[in-house]
Amino acid sequence: MNESLKQAQQQGQTADQLQQRLAELEQENAKLKRINNVLIERVESGSSQVANPYAAFEHSVVLAEQVRERTEALNAALSDLKATNRKLQDANQQAAISHQRLIDAIDSISDAFVLFDAERRVVLFNNKFSDIWNDVRVEIQTGITIQDIWDLGHESGLIAETFSENSSSSKVFRLSNGKWFQMSQRSTMDGGLVVLYTDISELKARETAIRELALEQKSKLLQATVDNLSQGVALVNHEGVLEVWNDRFLELTGVEESTAEERPPYAALMVSHKNILQHALSAAQQGKVVASEQREHNGKVIEVRTHPMPSGGFVNTYTDITERHQYAETLRESEQWIRLIADNVPAMICYVGQDERYQFTNKVYDEWYGQPRGALNGELITKVHDAAQMKTLTPYFQRAMAGECVTFEMSEPNLVGEERILLKSYVPNLDADDKPLGCFVMIRDITERIRTGEELRQAYQMMEQRVKERTSELTHLNQQLRLEINERSLIESRLREASQEAERANLSKTKFLAAVSHDLLQPLNAARLFTSALIEQEMEQKTQSLVHSVSNSLEDVESLLSTLVDISKLDAGVVVPDVISFKVSDLLENIANEYRQIAQSEGLDLHFVACDAVISSDSQLLARILRNFLSNAIRYTESGRILLGCRRRQHGLELQVWDTGEGIPATKKQEIFQEFKRLKHTHCGQDKGLGLGLAIVDKISRVLEHPIHVESVEGAGSVFSVEVPYGNKLPSADELHGPNLPQRLERLQDARIWIIDNDRAICQGMETLLTGWGCQVTTALSVDDLTAKIDPASTPVDLLIADYHLDNGENGIDAAEEVCSMLSHKIPVLMITANYCKELKEEIRELGYMLMNKPVKPLKLKTTLTHMLEVREDVI
């Protein structure tokens, strides 16, 4: 735009020069015409006079030549003038075009443009500049000054605010219509001024929005910070109105939240706390922090600190110091009790600082030295001890100040001048760096004790002879008693050996049962897997009935063996609880889902009430207790409903199982926990049980130290409960809500599962069962057997199942690690074992594997596999 302006100025200067040259040529042409006319007149006038004809001719020839020369010059000048006129016309046309282009260029600028001359009058401007001043009464036109424009803008109220930026050539102003403009100016070569007005309204709006967003975020952050303070906070502005508060403030002051949201005056809110209000107003007036305490009617003590703000108003903090106040009261009471005890101890007690001044003396000490009560505090010990006594005491005091406990005897006269023997003990008081701060002094009058000791020594000498005489008499009797004692000791020793032998035999029996649990359950586990797989096959009704009968019989045998093994393990003391903190909902939901179908098969309705409490226990042992409760409830309930839920108690969470069954007679409540004791059924068709479930519950509750409670109304129902202590708070996390069971079980379809078990029957049974669920199963007796059948590195797999006890001293953990090391990705691992050892549980948990104890129940296995595949999909 500046180049176009310069070209226009240059073209304008060329046009002026051409005009001036044309005027000069016209003057010269007019002059030549006058000369020509004069010459013609002379020739015409000369012809009438009689003259020399030749001279006249000569003169006419000269004149003709001069006229011809002048005519040629005039023609040349006219030709130059025409050419100049054409150039001038072209220049004017180019100047007009350039001027129009300049105007078009200025109008096309997105900013408002204005050009001022050296006197700051408007020379040129575009439409956008005039649009800015639409609300000014005077029309913006050429010749008006910049000062007139600003004056008109201020007078009309169009210019609302003006800001000068860091640069002297830049200024920002806001119009009354809300628009913002940035004015940038630059001087021209001739002393003029070019000014651009840039519309920055959108930029200002974005800046305002950003500031408002930042302010909003800061406000939210401030409110969140205030809400999470343990203290109550209330901010009162300079008008005395409550601006900011938190829930702790409402809780401590008793103000309703709805009342606070109306933002009433602070004085109206604190009518019931006049003391706090007065201190707050005093602090705001004085401009310093003021603290006060307020005792509430409910016994709470609240400390209120008022912090005045520079801009007016104040901030109040409310702290519940009830415990601190009670602790201070307790300290004062303790001090009074200590002083009371010290005053009533029959010994002289004092505390001497490093500067040898008394800091504490009890009543006996003051009375011994004849001093008024408390008069010695702050005095030097030389006030009650003369120079001779100090000479004796100083070495002991110096040893005590060196950190040594010193006890010595010293003779001192009492108030009546009687010499008494005192036993003095100096105990140093050391700080954290073992530097002495002073010493405790305890003095006891042992005069009477020494005298009594002397008398006892004399009496001892007299009694010694009598003792010798009686000793000879008792020696004979002792010999007879010793013979009797030896005989009794021999009998007791034989009884003890017999008892230990019986205990060893019983312990050996129980440990044997616990040790062979794996071998007992291994073939039974295989039979259960085969029958479960057979049940899911299509067959005739008669055959299916027989298969169900076999399955039920195996289930009874499994239940009997598992129960006997569990009782043996509990009796042998090999079951050590693995106590951890966990959410009770994780345990109860699985148990409720497991027993809901069992209850439905018996025509019962099982309800479950969830709970988010955290408890501390062994989850598997606790689950065994609850499963026995639910099994008994289903067994002894003919119709109605069963409820599984929790109740919060002061010392723990009570897990309860309610039923609407037969109930338990009051005389049978303790008997049901005995082995092989069971109530008589009032209806038939249900499993009668073995009478060992509640016996196991009793033993497990003793191992876990969880109390068991039973309440029952005969004919109406029963409630069995176990009380579990609360656990440590766990990190919060969103609970996984999986799909419904039928949808979840679809995850087993085409699931690729590898199984490692050293028992061929188990492998065959697991393959048959899992294949019936739609899984693609590969079984192996060992890792070498697995690698011989497939290539783990290239064969896709979703899950690995391994038995812990394998051949040749190998175990499932090592096998799982070896298999996983061959894979390019991590897969879930299910470890199956009959070992209930706590150390094994911890090892499997640390590796991130899932654990399932034998015998394996098909429904539980299906649920576990579905859950593991679901979690794997979520991780992927």
Side-chain angles (χ1 to χ4, degrees):
M1 184 181 67
N2 291 334
E3 282 300 320
S4 301
L5 184 61
K6 288 180 180 179
Q7 292 177 2
Q9 289 176 350
Q10 291 175 359
Q11 292 175 356
Q13 292 175 0
T14 304
D16 293 340
Q17 292 175 357
L18 293 174
Q19 291 286 350
Q20 184 177 0
R21 176 63 178 165
L22 179 61
E24 292 176 354
L25 291 174
E26 288 179 349
Q27 291 177 359
E28 185 176 355
N29 189 23
K31 183 178 180 181
L32 290 174
K33 285 182 178 180
R34 288 196 300 272
I35 293 173
N36 189 23
N37 293 330
V38 170
L39 290 175
I40 292 173
E41 289 178 357
R42 286 183 179 178
V43 171
E44 291 177 351
S45 61
S47 59
S48 59
Q49 297 177 359
V50 179
N52 188 358
Y54 181 79
F57 174 78
E58 185 180 8
H59 182 67
S60 63
V61 171
V62 172
L63 288 176
E65 184 64 23
Q66 290 179 350
V67 169
R68 186 183 61 79
E69 291 177 356
R70 294 295 178 89
T71 301
E72 290 179 355
L74 180 61
N75 290 332
L78 289 175
S79 177
D80 291 340
L81 181 61
K82 288 180 181 180
T84 302
N85 284 335
R86 284 195 298 272
K87 291 180 179 181
L88 180 60
Q89 290 177 356
D90 292 340
N92 287 334
Q93 186 177 2
Q94 290 295 327
I97 293 172
S98 298
H99 183 72
Q100 185 62 39
R101 287 177 179 174
L102 176 62
I103 293 175
D104 293 340
I106 292 173
D107 284 335
S108 64
I109 296 175
S110 60
D111 299 332
F113 172 87
V114 61
L115 173 65
F116 296 96
D117 58 13
E119 297 179 356
R120 298 299 184 265
R121 294 183 178 277
V122 175
V123 175
L124 189 65
F125 61 91
N126 61 2
N127 294 330
K128 292 183 177 61
F129 177 76
S130 60
D131 291 342
I132 296 176
W133 311 102
N134 283 336
D135 295 336
V136 179
R137 290 188 298 271
V138 177
E139 181 181 358
I140 303 301
Q141 57 185 355
T142 304
I144 189 170
T145 65
I146 185 172
Q147 189 61 42
D148 293 338
I149 297 175
W150 280 100
D151 292 343
L152 290 172
H154 286 293
E155 289 176 4
S156 62
L158 178 63
I159 300 177
E161 293 179 277
T162 304
F163 303 94
S164 295
E165 296 188 345
N166 295 334
S167 175
S168 59
S169 62
S170 181
K171 183 182 295 185
V172 175
F173 61 92
R174 180 175 64 87
L175 301 183
S176 59
N177 56 10
K179 288 189 175 182
W180 287 83
F181 288 91
Q182 182 179 22
M183 185 178 71
S184 302
Q185 58 186 23
R186 182 176 179 180
S187 299
T188 62
M189 297 177 59
D190 59 351
L193 188 67
V194 177
V195 181
L196 288 178
Y197 294 83
T198 305
D199 189 347
I200 60 172
S201 302
E202 293 184 1
L203 178 62
K204 283 290 184 179
R206 286 196 295 270
E207 290 179 354
T208 303
I210 292 172
R211 285 197 299 270
E212 289 178 353
L213 179 60
L215 182 61
E216 182 182 0
Q217 292 176 346
K218 289 182 179 178
S219 299
K220 290 181 179 178
L221 181 61
L222 175 62
Q223 187 64 47
T225 303
V226 170
D227 288 340
N228 285 279
L229 291 176
S230 60
Q231 295 176 317
V233 177
L235 186 148
V236 180
N237 60 20
H238 63 281
E239 298 178 354
V241 177
L242 182 64
E243 284 284 349
V244 180
W245 69 90
N246 61 2
D247 294 338
R248 186 62 174 163
F249 162 74
L250 303 178
E251 178 184 347
L252 293 177
T253 58
V255 176
E256 296 292 338
E257 184 175 3
S258 58
T259 304
E261 289 177 351
E262 296 176 359
R263 302 186 184 277
Y266 180 74
L269 277 178
M270 307 305 290
V271 172
S272 58
H273 301 78
K274 294 183 179 179
N275 184 28
I276 297 177
L277 179 61
Q278 292 175 356
H279 281 81
L281 297 178
S282 174
Q285 293 174 357
Q286 298 176 10
K288 63 180 183 179
V289 179
V290 175
S292 63
E293 293 183 2
Q294 173 78 17
R295 184 182 291 274
E296 301 293 327
H297 59 83
N298 56 2
K300 283 187 177 181
V301 180
I302 301 174
E303 180 187 54
V304 183
R305 289 185 176 271
T306 303
H307 305 259
M309 296 189 296
S311 60
F314 53 87
V315 177
N316 271 3
T317 59
Y318 301 80
T319 307
D320 187 351
I321 60 170
T322 306
E323 292 185 3
R324 188 174 71 190
H325 191 271
Q326 292 174 351
Y327 181 67
E329 291 290 338
T330 303
L331 286 179
R332 282 194 290 271
E333 293 176 1
S334 299
E335 181 182 359
Q336 293 175 358
W337 277 105
I338 292 173
R339 184 172 292 277
L340 179 62
I341 293 170
D343 287 344
N344 288 277
V345 170
M348 292 175 279
I349 300 174
C350 70
Y351 180 82
V352 180
Q354 195 174 11
D355 56 355
E356 298 186 357
R357 293 183 180 274
Y358 290 106
Q359 296 183 14
F360 170 79
T361 58
N362 68 344
K363 182 179 179 182
V364 180
Y365 195 96
D366 293 337
E367 291 177 350
W368 172 267
Y369 290 104
Q371 298 292 329
R373 188 74 181 93
L376 290 177
N377 291 340
E379 298 290 341
L380 291 169
I381 58 177
T382 55
K383 185 172 182 179
V384 297
H385 296 291
D386 55 23
Q389 293 173 343
M390 287 299 300
K391 185 176 181 181
T392 304
L393 293 174
T394 300
Y396 295 111
F397 183 78
Q398 291 175 350
R399 289 169 59 186
M401 287 296 99
E404 181 183 355
C405 294
V406 183
T407 301
F408 60 95
E409 295 180 4
M410 181 177 176
S411 177
E412 282 189 25
N414 58 14
L415 291 177
V416 297
E418 180 183 1
E419 286 293 330
R420 308 292 293 181
I421 299 175
L422 303 179
L423 178 64
K424 298 189 175 184
S425 297
Y426 287 177
V427 180
N429 179 27
L430 306 177
D431 61 8
D433 298 327
D434 292 334
K435 294 182 180 179
L437 302 175
C439 71
F440 299 95
V441 180
M442 186 174 69
I443 306 173
R444 288 166 288 175
D445 186 350
I446 61 172
T447 306
E448 300 298 333
R449 189 177 73 181
I450 291 177
R451 292 175 182 174
T452 302
E454 184 63 29
E455 292 175 356
L456 288 174
R457 278 193 296 272
Q458 294 176 1
Y460 175 75
Q461 293 175 359
M462 294 176 62
M463 290 182 64
E464 188 174 9
Q465 183 62 34
R466 295 178 61 187
V467 169
K468 289 181 180 179
E469 295 175 357
R470 295 298 301 273
T471 301
S472 61
E473 296 176 1
L474 292 173
T475 301
H476 180 67
L477 294 174
N478 285 337
Q479 291 176 352
Q480 295 179 352
L481 290 174
R482 193 175 293 110
L483 292 174
E484 265 184 55
I485 291 171
N486 290 336
E487 292 178 359
R488 292 185 178 181
S489 296
L490 183 60
I491 294 172
E492 289 178 359
S493 177
R494 291 176 179 174
L495 291 174
R496 194 177 300 110
E497 289 178 0
S499 176
Q500 291 176 354
E501 186 67 26
E503 289 179 359
R504 283 196 295 269
N506 185 47
L507 184 61
S508 176
K509 179 262 296 182
T510 54
K511 286 188 175 180
F512 171 76
L513 287 175
V516 301
S517 60
H518 178 267
D519 295 332
L520 288 173
L521 295 176
Q522 193 77 344
L524 182 61
N525 188 30
R528 288 278 287 142
L529 292 173
F530 279 120
T531 54
S532 298
L534 191 58
I535 288 174
E536 295 186 0
Q537 303 297 324
E538 293 184 1
M539 62 187 71
E540 296 180 359
Q541 182 67 29
K542 184 177 179 180
T543 305
Q544 189 173 14
S545 176
L546 292 175
V547 172
H548 277 287
S549 298
V550 172
S551 178
N552 293 336
S553 299
L554 289 174
E555 185 175 355
D556 292 340
V557 174
E558 176 189 322
S559 177
L560 177 59
L561 287 177
S562 298
T563 303
L564 290 174
V565 169
D566 289 343
I567 291 179
S568 300
K569 289 180 179 180
L570 292 171
D571 289 339
V574 297
V575 177
V576 179
D578 181 16
V579 178
I580 59 173
S581 294
F582 59 91
K583 281 190 176 182
V584 71
S585 59
D586 297 338
L587 174 66
L588 296 185
E589 286 178 2
N590 291 333
I591 295 177
N593 291 332
E594 178 182 345
Y595 276 84
R596 185 174 284 114
Q597 295 184 1
I598 300 175
Q600 289 177 356
S601 66
E602 297 293 338
L604 302 176
D605 189 10
L606 189 145
H607 291 266
F608 163 59
V609 180
C611 178
D612 61 353
V614 177
I615 59 175
S616 177
S617 181
D618 185 313
S619 60
Q620 292 191 358
L621 294 179
L622 181 60
R624 187 63 183 273
I625 292 176
L626 296 176
R627 285 188 173 95
N628 279 320
F629 284 169
L630 288 169
S631 297
N632 275 359
I634 294 173
R635 182 177 297 117
Y636 291 99
T637 302
E638 182 177 4
S639 62
R641 56 184 296 188
I642 297 171
L643 175 63
L644 173 61
C646 308
R647 288 186 183 274
R648 295 181 184 267
R649 305 299 187 192
Q650 181 178 1
H651 302 293
L653 187 69
E654 190 172 357
L655 310 181
Q656 297 181 333
V657 175
W658 294 71
D659 64 63
T660 58
E662 304 171 2
I664 304 171
T667 58
K668 301 288 186 179
K669 286 185 179 179
Q670 296 301 324
E671 182 179 336
I672 60 176
F673 289 98
Q674 298 177 10
E675 296 175 355
F676 301 104
K677 294 289 185 180
R678 57 178 181 266
L679 298 178
K680 183 179 179 181
H681 279 278
T682 60
H683 58 283
C684 56
Q686 286 185 334
D687 176 23
K688 296 181 179 181
L690 302 171
L692 294 174
L694 293 181
I696 291 179
V697 167
D698 182 58
K699 294 178 184 295
I700 294 177
S701 68
R702 295 179 188 274
V703 172
L704 295 176
E705 298 181 353
H706 295 348
I708 300 294
H709 304 287
V710 180
E711 297 293 337
S712 180
V713 177
E714 191 172 2
S718 307
V719 54
F720 286 79
S721 61
V722 55
E723 187 172 337
V724 185
Y726 293 114
N728 298 326
K729 185 177 181 180
L730 299 176
S732 59
D734 296 334
E735 295 185 357
L736 296 175
H737 297 283
N740 295 329
L741 184 60
Q743 297 175 343
R744 294 174 59 193
L745 294 180
E746 291 180 359
R747 299 180 186 276
L748 292 176
Q749 191 67 32
D750 296 328
R752 295 158 295 192
I753 299 177
W754 295 348
I755 300 174
I756 300 177
D757 196 307
N758 61 334
D759 192 321
R760 292 184 182 274
I762 294 289
C763 289
Q764 189 176 359
M766 289 287 283
E767 182 177 6
T768 303
L769 181 64
L770 270 61
T771 303
W773 294 341
C775 302
Q776 300 177 14
V777 181
T778 302
T779 62
L781 302 177
S782 63
V783 177
D784 294 337
D785 188 20
L786 180 66
T787 55
K789 293 181 177 180
I790 59 172
D791 181 12
S794 60
T795 305
V797 61
D798 297 319
L799 190 142
L800 173 65
I801 301 176
D803 186 19
Y804 179 73
H805 295 283
L806 300 175
D807 293 335
N808 302 322
E810 298 180 354
N811 60 64
I813 293 178
D814 296 337
E817 291 181 351
E818 185 177 353
V819 171
C820 291
S821 65
M822 303 177 188
L823 304 177
S824 60
H825 60 282
K826 187 176 181 181
I827 62 171
V829 177
L830 174 61
M831 196 66 56
I832 299 178
T833 179
N835 190 342
Y836 290 83
C837 176
K838 177 182 178 180
E839 291 76 10
L840 179 59
K841 291 180 183 179
E842 293 178 351
E843 183 180 2
I844 292 175
R845 186 187 300 116
E846 290 175 358
L847 292 172
Y849 299 163
M850 187 73 73
L851 174 65
M852 181 176 290
N853 292 109
K854 293 182 179 180
V856 176
K857 296 184 178 180
L859 179 59
K860 185 176 180 181
L861 175 63
K862 180 182 289 188
T863 305
T864 303
L865 295 180
T866 302
H867 171 71
M868 295 176 69
L869 292 172
E870 180 180 354
V871 172
R872 179 176 183 270
E873 289 181 3
D874 292 341
V875 172
I876 294 176

